[in-house]
Amino acid sequence: MEASKVNQLKLFIQQCDSNPALLQDPALKFFRDYLEKLGAKLPASAYGKGESAKKTEAKDSFVDESDDDMPELEEQFGPSSTSPKVPEETASDDEVVESEVELDNEGVIEPDNDPPQKMGDPSIEVTDEKRDEAQTAKSKAMEAMADGDLDEAVNHLTEAIECNPTSAIIYATRASVFVKMKKPNAAIRDANAAIKINPDSAKGYKWRGMARAMLGHWEEAAKDLHLASRLDYDEEISAVLKKVEPNVHKIEDHHRKYERLRREKDERKKERERQRRRAEAQAAYEKAKKQEKASTCKPCGATGGCSGGMPGGFPGGMPGGFPGGMPAGGMPGGFPGGMPGDVDMSKILNDPELMAAFSDPDVMTALQDVMKNPANLAKYQANPKIAPVIAKMMGKFAGK
């Protein structure tokens, strides 16, 4: 509803509040009946001679009206049965909990927790003599491996690493021995050292991948083994990948499944939020529509009020001396006892200047003050904003 019409309605209600006798006018009987239908208790002065308040059980004068003509405020009567409903959360909307993946864990072992093996000092200077000593120690380790003495092989390779800590191949060789000894963590430490020295160490990636497979770290193992195979393919890598890759595929499928479930859950949550907002908007629209229907005047069909005459008007007369052309002594006759009931309010409602003035809070405050006590008019006789408005209104009341 437009602000100017709301202000007109406020002005009318305040007049009725200060002078309930206004409701005696037969033209406003529909409004009085409407108030009674809402449960309002009106004072006796609101009824004419021979009239009284209706009993709540009795039918009122409204006939052939649907419930849509009355605003069904949800805060008073609860939500409408036709209001859009927001879908409730279901068990499927709970937090997505991942299940365990069924993998082939044959050959997976418990991690070794031995103290870290001795590593070489990369800051030392490696002379030709040291390189020769390292090569001799490595050869002894290979002989020990051939004899199946893995502990002895580790000791010789550790000596070789101390002589030449810059050799990636010696670290990778010791890593291979730790894999054979089923010490995957020790093998990973040596493989990391080999890869640090030489980022293209195929043996380093191979033995780290095999050690990770022994621990059941399937995705990391597959990554290392594929890289090792690209650098230097061998049959041993291919054989291990045949065991590793099926588990990797299961893990990837598992991740995709639960990522999809989480996305679907998020989409359901977003859809519920969209439906909730639509329901709120629909409820607000229906409420506004019903209120607009309720504000329509039944006799004349006008929205926001009735254009018929308003009885009573300003109680009492207007004092004289009003600037802007009001004759001394006030309005003719002073409108004693109030304004005649045949005043055509449409002259005021159709006056654009008055409608514009009614939207001014200062003007509305002054009009309310005068309506409460006509003697307060004297306060506004010298006000250049208020005085012309009141003078024009009184001119309308006088039929000008």
Side-chain angles (χ1 to χ4, degrees):
M1 184 182 294
E2 297 178 1
S4 60
K5 291 183 178 180
V6 173
N7 289 332
Q8 294 171 30
L9 182 59
K10 287 181 180 178
L11 182 61
F12 170 61
I13 296 299
Q14 289 165 355
Q15 285 182 331
C16 292
D17 185 48
S18 62
N19 184 13
L22 294 175
L23 297 176
Q24 295 180 14
D25 188 339
L28 292 178
K29 183 177 181 298
F30 79 94
F31 183 61
R32 189 178 63 196
D33 289 343
Y34 173 68
L35 295 177
E36 289 176 341
K37 187 168 184 178
L38 292 180
K41 294 181 179 180
L42 303 179
S45 59
Y47 299 93
K49 292 181 180 181
E51 293 182 323
S52 61
K54 294 183 179 181
K55 295 182 180 180
T56 55
E57 298 82 19
K59 274 192 173 183
D60 52 33
S61 60
F62 287 103
V63 294
D64 295 330
E65 289 183 2
S66 67
D67 292 339
D68 288 340
D69 293 330
M70 301 298 170
E72 299 175 356
L73 302 181
E74 292 187 0
E75 58 268 24
Q76 294 181 3
F77 306 105
S80 168
S81 60
T82 60
S83 298
K85 294 182 179 180
V86 178
E88 298 179 354
E89 291 192 18
T90 62
S92 62
D93 293 321
D94 294 338
E95 186 65 30
V96 176
V97 179
E98 292 192 23
S99 62
E100 294 292 332
V101 187
E102 294 184 3
L103 302 173
D104 179 8
N105 289 319
E106 183 181 355
V108 175
I109 63 174
E110 291 295 323
D112 52 306
N113 296 314
D114 297 338
Q117 63 270 31
K118 290 183 180 181
M119 309 295 279
D121 182 1
S123 64
I124 67 171
E125 181 181 356
V126 180
T127 62
D128 291 339
E129 182 181 354
K130 288 292 184 181
R131 285 191 177 88
D132 291 340
E133 291 177 4
Q135 190 60 36
T136 300
K138 180 185 175 185
S139 298
K140 292 179 180 179
M142 301 304 290
E143 293 175 2
M145 290 174 62
D147 295 337
D149 191 348
L150 300 181
D151 288 327
E152 185 68 17
V154 168
N155 292 333
H156 288 304
L157 289 169
T158 300
E159 181 184 352
I161 288 171
E162 290 176 339
C163 292
N164 184 9
T166 63
S167 173
I169 190 62
I170 297 178
Y171 276 112
T173 302
R174 191 170 69 170
S176 70
V177 178
F178 282 130
V179 168
K180 290 180 173 62
M181 297 174 70
K182 298 189 182 301
K183 293 185 177 183
N185 282 334
I188 291 172
R189 286 191 289 268
D190 273 351
N192 287 340
I195 294 170
K196 185 177 181 180
I197 295 170
N198 178 15
D200 292 327
S201 173
K203 298 296 183 183
Y205 289 114
K206 172 184 175 179
W207 297 116
R208 189 172 72 176
M210 290 187 172
R212 284 175 167 174
M214 293 173 68
L215 293 171
H217 300 167
W218 305 113
E219 293 173 291
E220 295 89 341
K223 183 178 178 180
D224 280 342
L225 292 171
H226 279 295
L227 182 54
S229 183
R230 287 196 296 270
L231 291 170
D232 185 14
Y233 175 82
D234 66 43
E235 294 294 334
E236 192 174 14
I237 295 175
S238 179
V240 176
L241 278 173
K242 288 180 180 179
K243 177 179 177 59
V244 170
E245 287 185 324
N247 283 337
V248 173
H249 293 156
K250 290 180 182 179
I251 293 171
E252 290 175 347
D253 290 343
H254 178 83
H255 289 336
R256 281 193 292 268
K257 171 186 174 182
Y258 282 94
E259 286 174 3
R260 175 179 55 80
L261 291 176
R262 278 187 283 268
R263 285 196 303 271
E264 291 175 353
K265 176 180 178 293
D266 290 342
E267 285 301 320
R268 288 194 298 271
K269 183 177 180 181
K270 292 176 182 178
E271 179 60 25
R272 284 197 306 274
E273 179 64 16
R274 286 192 291 267
Q275 292 189 25
R276 182 188 68 79
R277 292 180 181 177
R278 283 197 294 266
E280 290 178 352
Q282 180 68 19
Y285 169 76
E286 291 178 357
K287 180 177 177 181
K289 188 176 179 181
K290 290 176 181 179
Q291 289 176 335
E292 183 179 358
K293 287 183 178 180
S295 68
T296 302
C297 175
K298 294 297 178 183
C300 66
T303 301
C306 184
S307 61
M310 182 176 292
F314 283 102
M318 292 283 288
F322 200 87
M326 186 75 70
M331 292 291 294
F335 291 111
M339 188 179 300
D342 59 350
V343 174
D344 187 357
M345 287 299 294
S346 65
K347 292 182 178 180
I348 293 178
L349 301 180
N350 293 328
D351 189 310
E353 293 183 3
L354 286 178
M355 290 297 97
F358 289 158
S359 64
D360 189 322
D362 294 338
V363 173
M364 292 305 299
T365 301
L367 291 178
Q368 293 167 10
D369 187 29
V370 172
M371 281 188 290
K372 290 178 182 178
N373 185 2
N376 290 338
L377 180 62
K379 295 192 300 185
Y380 303 103
Q381 290 182 355
N383 189 309
K385 180 192 290 187
I386 309 300
V389 175
I390 296 179
K392 189 165 188 177
M393 285 182 63
M394 295 311 299
K396 298 289 185 182
F397 293 155
K400 297 180 179 179

